[in-house]
Amino acid sequence: MERNETSQYTFTIIVPIYNEAENISRLEEKLQNFLPQSLYPACVLFVNDGSTDGSREKIHSICERNPHFFYLDMKKNGGLSAALKAGFDYCFSEFVGYMDADMQTDADDFNLLLPHLAEYELVTGIRANRKDSFFKNLQSKIANGYRRMMTGDGVSDTGCPLKVLHTGYAKRVPMFNGMHRFLPALILLQNGRIQQIPVRHYPRIAGKSKYHLWNRLTGPFIDCFAYRWMKKRYINYQISGTNLD
């Protein structure tokens, strides 16, 4: 894949979006304010995951009036893992991060994570004082505990939608449906190092959550077995020399 404008930046923020039209204006304002404050020269890459609520048109308008904003349009909705893989594939900055479009995390907190990339290949947020319902928090706690048992990744909140990592590692992640939940474990398969940092969390005030009992609890249980199958067969190689140009 040919390099693109993201190669002119050090840090690319991927924002997967599926039917978040009610949040996009606030998201634009937050990202506009963050970019000048970013510890590294940064850009934004929206990945429109087949939205049907007008999000696509709003994203295009944002990118027309903001020089550091870019977009990818998926032909159809493929889910969060597919949107992240597309973002990773089209990113050519040294570092890449991502956040949700629901405004429950704060882009400013990327500056809490970025300093640790000198020592770690992935830095993930941990949602402090989560503002979700008791039932949603309970589901997440159960799913996180089961995932840690199955993967041994030691991450307390892999569902936190605020992460930064080295782009080279991101591109080598073997993504398939549901694998966004296992990103730390997949970085560990590459012998990468992981750090966890507390970040802020806010209640959702607009739009609708895309998660329910199946994809928050039952789905991850099944995906753990897919991860265990892949882990035994994962190929991790390094090149010591070549005469290719």
Side-chain angles (χ1 to χ4, degrees):
M1 184 176 295
E2 294 184 3
R3 295 173 69 84
N4 55 43
E5 292 183 65
T6 61
S7 64
Q8 305 302 311
Y9 302 84
T10 306
F11 177 47
T12 299
I13 301 169
I14 296 172
V15 188
I17 293 179
Y18 177 62
N19 289 351
E20 291 284 1
E22 295 178 57
N23 283 312
I24 288 179
S25 294
R26 295 171 57 235
L27 182 63
E28 176 187 12
E29 182 180 3
K30 170 54 70 174
L31 290 168
Q32 280 178 328
N33 292 334
F34 170 70
L35 290 187
Q37 309 300 323
S38 174
L39 295 179
Y40 297 114
C43 67
V44 175
L45 178 59
F46 293 117
V47 182
N48 170 36
D49 188 21
S51 296
T52 57
D53 68 340
S55 292
R56 176 181 177 274
E57 292 73 20
K58 290 191 174 186
I59 291 168
H60 288 197
S61 295
I62 289 173
C63 293
E64 287 176 2
R65 59 179 174 260
N66 291 282
H68 306 298
F69 287 56
F70 308 98
Y71 69 84
L72 296 173
D73 284 328
M74 306 283 279
K75 284 188 175 181
K76 61 180 181 179
N77 176 244
L80 181 54
S81 291
L84 284 176
K85 175 169 174 50
F88 292 160
D89 287 347
Y90 280 83
C91 177
F92 292 94
S93 54
E94 181 179 0
F95 304 125
V96 61
Y98 72 88
M99 64 178 293
D100 278 353
D102 59 13
M103 300 299 294
Q104 288 194 256
T105 49
D106 195 324
D108 290 347
D109 286 349
F110 277 123
N111 279 346
L112 300 176
L113 309 183
L114 288 170
H116 299 278
L117 287 174
E119 299 179 54
Y120 299 92
E121 281 65 49
L122 180 145
V123 186
T124 180
I126 303 172
R127 290 169 287 190
N129 301 315
R130 287 187 62 176
K131 304 302 181 182
D132 292 322
S133 68
F134 171 80
F135 186 54
K136 184 176 180 180
N137 285 336
L138 178 62
Q139 291 174 2
S140 295
K141 184 175 181 179
I142 294 171
N144 272 310
Y146 184 75
R147 188 210 70 257
R148 284 196 302 274
M149 179 186 70
M150 293 287 283
T151 66
D153 62 13
V155 176
S156 62
D157 185 17
T158 192
C160 178
L162 202 71
K163 293 179 172 65
V164 296
L165 61 161
H166 291 241
T167 302
Y169 280 76
K171 287 182 177 293
R172 292 192 296 270
V173 168
M175 294 288 281
F176 50 93
N177 284 340
M179 284 298 99
H180 63 274
R181 303 182 183 97
F182 301 91
L183 191 56
L186 294 169
I187 295 299
L188 289 174
L189 286 183
Q190 300 181 46
N191 299 319
R193 297 160 297 178
I194 294 173
Q195 177 64 290
Q196 305 176 68
I197 302 294
V199 297
R200 290 170 289 183
H201 190 247
Y202 305 95
R204 178 187 271 273
I205 62 173
K208 295 181 179 179
S209 174
K210 311 305 183 295
Y211 294 95
H212 45 72
L213 180 61
W214 170 260
N215 58 21
R216 185 180 292 119
L217 199 56
T218 310
F221 283 4
I222 296 172
D223 292 340
C224 277
F225 291 98
Y227 169 81
R228 292 285 291 267
W229 178 91
M230 184 202 64
K231 181 179 180 179
K232 294 180 180 179
R233 295 159 179 81
Y234 182 72
I235 297 172
N236 185 30
Y237 69 90
Q238 294 179 329
I239 301 299
S240 62
T242 180
N243 68 344
L244 291 169
D245 293 332

